[in-house]
Amino acid sequence: MSDRQNAILTFWFGDPCDPQSDYGQQRKVWFQKNLAFDAQIRQRFLTDYERAVVGECDRWANTPHGTLALILVFDQFPRNLFRSDPRSFATDSQALALARHAVDQGWDRALLPVERLFIYLPFEHSETLADQHQSVALFEELVQTAPELESTLDYAYRHREVIARFGRFPHRNDVLGRATTPAEAEFLTQPGSRF
């Protein structure tokens, strides 16, 4: 594993060599708006993102952990780096292609449950219903082996319901410059509709 891959994975998941680390545990900061966390990602990993976007990190996809690091760069980091900007979703297709590759190779099975979560999130982030069905299947299987991640399955169900209903995520409309339908506008007034 390269130094950059290791830096990304240690930042995100904790240090496996540090007994004081929360390595292997789910972290609240991953799914909360936290400007300090965003700033850390910008300071430490913006260059990695920029390099990955132009293909300079493609070789990382030759191993399970390298693929995981690259998925974080394409799927998670943009959501922190570019809040309220179309770039927050611009590399979702690259993340999804990597996630498909990892699952097809069975590489997700070589990872800790909490790491597998991030292999599966690009399916959940997709606005294609077939990907949502795969997301739910993957999360159902994950929760069988890791019941502590039960809450992730609820989110998978909720994402699939939105795509089944609207064919897209209405909460992305403003950022992506898409017109919001009256049904979507009503939906967005409900608590939890913006994930």
Side-chain angles (χ1 to χ4, degrees):
M1 187 174 352
S2 76
D3 288 345
R4 294 313 304 156
Q5 292 171 41
N6 189 55
I8 290 164
L9 295 175
T10 299
F11 172 80
W12 199 257
F13 295 108
D15 185 349
C17 299
D18 180 358
Q20 302 300 315
S21 167
D22 55 359
Y23 178 71
Q25 304 299 312
Q26 195 169 4
R27 299 173 69 198
K28 289 182 182 179
V29 73
W30 292 334
F31 304 112
Q32 295 175 338
K33 185 175 182 178
N34 182 316
L35 298 180
F37 188 63
D38 294 352
Q40 287 179 39
I41 292 172
R42 187 171 298 106
Q43 179 184 23
R44 296 176 65 179
F45 303 111
L46 179 59
T47 301
D48 295 298
Y49 170 82
E50 292 168 340
R51 290 182 58 233
V53 166
V54 297
E56 291 181 17
C57 302
D58 288 354
R59 69 189 178 286
W60 293 9
N62 294 327
T63 68
H65 280 99
T67 300
L68 175 60
L70 204 49
I71 287 172
L72 292 173
V73 168
F74 283 138
D75 186 66
Q76 294 299 307
F77 286 2
R79 285 164 165 76
N80 297 94
L81 291 168
F82 309 118
R83 289 187 188 276
S84 302
D85 184 303
R87 292 176 293 173
S88 59
F89 311 112
T91 52
D92 280 8
S93 61
Q94 289 99 314
L96 182 57
L98 288 162
R100 282 193 182 110
H101 176 70
V103 170
D104 289 347
Q105 297 297 315
W107 287 353
D108 53 320
R109 314 266 182 218
L111 302 172
L112 294 175
V114 76
E115 294 172 330
R116 288 171 63 185
L117 161 65
F118 290 94
I119 297 289
Y120 303 156
L121 279 178
F123 293 98
E124 186 176 294
H125 291 156
S126 172
E127 291 187 315
T128 301
L129 189 55
D131 294 330
Q132 290 296 324
H133 289 314
Q134 186 164 9
S135 167
V136 166
L138 291 165
F139 279 105
E140 285 176 340
E141 187 176 333
L142 176 64
V143 168
Q144 290 294 319
T145 60
E148 69 275 12
L149 297 175
E150 178 75 34
S151 65
T152 64
L153 181 56
D154 178 59
Y155 280 99
Y157 288 140
R158 290 173 53 202
H159 280 75
R160 182 174 67 178
E161 288 169 13
V162 171
I163 296 302
R165 181 174 174 191
F166 298 110
R168 62 187 186 174
F169 292 117
H171 68 276
R172 295 183 185 177
N173 289 348
D174 286 345
V175 171
L176 296 176
R178 303 186 304 205
T180 298
T181 69
E184 289 174 334
E186 182 181 341
F187 169 74
L188 289 171
T189 65
Q190 299 172 20
S193 61
R194 297 177 185 270
F195 299 109

